[in-house]
Amino acid sequence: MVILNWNGRDFLRQFLPAVLAHSAGAAIFVADNASTDDSVALVRAEFPTVQVLENGGNLGFCEGYNHALAQLGPEFRYYVLLNSDVEVTPGWLAPQRELLEANPRIAACQPKIRQYSTDQATRQLFEYAGAGGGYLDSLGYPFCRGRLFDTLETDTGQYDDARPVAWATGACLLVRAEAWHALGGLEPAFFAHMEEIDFCWRLQNAGWQVWYQGSSTVFHVGGGTLHKSNPRKTYLNFRNGLALVYLNTHPAELPAVLISRVALDWVAALRLLLQGQTDDFWAVLRAHGHFVGRLGYWNIRRRQFPPRRRLHERAGTYAGSLVWAYFAQGKHLFRQLEK
């Protein structure tokens, strides 16, 4: 189990004790991206059984994990990528591991993700990053059971099942080591955001399965490193969103999907401008410019992992448009999409 850290001293002090208490049989590592606080000193002083991997620089989420996991030996059959701002619960790991052990085609899975809070009502809400399992619409827009855009459902047991999904959250991702290395880990050019969606999409294209395990629950703070209102996050989401569909969409479906995504991105950019969010408006434009500027690189990567599955062949997909369903039809709950 590897917890990637960058200046997360307070999160480590708060959440590492539960990880140690409730993760029997797992070797626990903290991979540090050259933190400038005393994270490393804290781990070594207060959690001596936790091993520290120092990455030597702020490599971002993708390369941070790629570099850290490359240092682990062949004795590990499974890896857990765990955010430093996640509170685990008793028995959280075993149900996920059992899924992978029962089905050798399952390459990755996630638990139920709820919001971390000291308020009990808030703790019943699904959390933005992962919720009840990750889905994609026909244009490659990600969403979750329990979370459509900013609408969060209360957990009443409606997603206590185990099922195949389109993607599993990088906040708490159990992945088969064989599959991780076969695909070369996370896409380094993403740096952060949507990298787990790209990885899981590539897994499905390569014939693997991705699952959600609702009998396991963790609580996620979210936004601990980069808040969703930060223009940097806007830039990464829009740039990586285009790269995501470009890299993974089946050739027969790519032209229509890419043209639609670009058009909707411009609508979103104009909306941000009209709302006075000029920094975010320019972030969208920069994202598009940088995506186009690296088309040569994206083409190389697309050829390395060629898309093999069409929309109807992939698990966890919604054949319609999430944007249309949510904003035009007023469908704000996952169950409404299934009607």
Side-chain angles (χ1 to χ4, degrees):
M1 180 183 310
V2 177
I3 300 169
L4 188 66
N5 174 70
W6 183 70
N7 291 341
R9 176 187 187 279
D10 292 341
F11 284 140
L12 292 171
R13 171 168 275 171
Q14 181 177 2
F15 295 122
L16 256 181
V19 174
L20 290 167
H22 303 314
S23 307
I28 299 170
F29 301 83
V30 167
D32 188 72
N33 267 349
S35 295
T36 56
D37 62 6
D38 61 345
S39 298
V40 172
L42 170 81
V43 172
R44 287 175 170 155
E46 298 188 15
F47 306 101
T49 61
V50 175
Q51 301 178 63
V52 176
L53 305 172
E54 297 191 61
N55 283 334
N58 185 5
L59 306 182
F61 191 92
C62 300
E63 280 292 74
Y65 269 119
N66 288 345
H67 188 265
L69 294 179
Q71 300 178 57
L72 303 186
E75 68 271 21
F76 297 105
R77 295 173 56 212
Y78 307 118
Y79 301 139
V80 177
L81 283 61
L82 184 67
N83 277 18
S84 62
D85 60 348
V86 169
E87 177 187 76
V88 303
T89 60
W92 71 285
L93 191 54
Q96 299 175 80
R97 187 167 51 211
E98 289 165 5
L99 265 182
L100 271 67
E101 290 176 348
N103 185 344
R105 297 314 302 164
I106 299 177
C109 71
Q110 69 156 84
K112 180 190 296 181
I113 311 286
R114 296 209 321 231
Q115 285 201 39
Y116 174 81
S117 176
T118 55
D119 175 69
Q120 289 304 309
T122 303
R123 284 175 70 88
Q124 302 306 311
L125 294 173
F126 285 98
E127 209 276 324
Y128 185 86
Y135 277 64
L136 292 169
D137 80 349
S138 60
L139 299 179
Y141 282 105
F143 62 99
C144 306
R145 292 197 301 170
R147 189 271 295 172
L148 305 186
F149 288 103
D150 290 330
T151 301
L152 300 170
E153 295 181 34
T154 298
D155 179 18
T156 59
Q158 68 271 44
Y159 306 128
D160 282 355
D161 58 351
R163 67 157 62 183
V165 292
W167 56 274
T169 178
C172 184
L173 177 66
L174 176 62
V175 60
R176 194 179 297 274
E178 175 192 354
W180 174 272
H181 292 295
L183 269 66
L186 301 174
E187 168 52 58
F190 275 41
F191 187 78
H193 299 295
M194 297 194 186
E195 68 290 320
E196 77 271 50
I197 305 175
D198 169 73
F199 179 69
C200 290
W201 199 338
R202 282 189 283 130
L203 283 173
Q204 285 210 58
N205 277 330
W208 297 91
Q209 297 175 22
V210 180
W211 279 59
Y212 161 83
Q213 175 55 281
S215 62
S216 174
T217 302
V218 301
F219 295 86
H220 184 214
V221 174
T225 302
L226 195 59
H227 194 269
K228 66 180 182 180
S229 64
N230 191 309
R232 172 65 174 169
K233 188 161 190 173
T234 301
Y235 163 80
L236 289 170
N237 281 338
F238 278 84
R239 185 200 65 180
N240 293 352
L242 286 179
L244 175 74
V245 298
Y246 188 79
L247 290 172
N248 297 294
T249 303
H250 190 277
E253 299 168 342
L254 180 59
V257 170
L258 195 60
I259 290 170
S260 298
R261 282 296 296 260
V262 170
L264 288 171
D265 279 6
W266 277 95
V267 171
L270 290 173
R271 185 167 176 260
L272 290 168
L273 183 63
L274 292 173
Q275 291 174 340
Q277 297 174 254
T278 54
D279 288 343
D280 289 285
F281 168 78
W282 288 111
V284 176
L285 268 59
R286 287 198 308 274
H288 278 230
H290 291 174
F291 167 75
V292 172
R294 298 203 70 184
L295 269 178
Y297 174 82
W298 301 127
N299 277 323
I300 292 172
R301 295 297 280 171
R302 182 176 165 87
R303 288 195 296 270
Q304 287 177 329
F305 302 101
R308 300 183 180 93
R309 294 195 176 188
R310 302 186 69 145
L311 176 71
H312 69 276
E313 298 172 325
R314 292 184 276 115
T317 57
Y318 170 58
S321 165
L322 179 65
V323 173
W324 178 258
Y326 188 91
F327 292 103
Q329 298 179 310
K331 296 182 177 182
H332 293 172
L333 301 176
F334 180 84
R335 65 174 180 269
Q336 295 172 321
L337 299 178
E338 299 183 307
K339 295 180 179 179

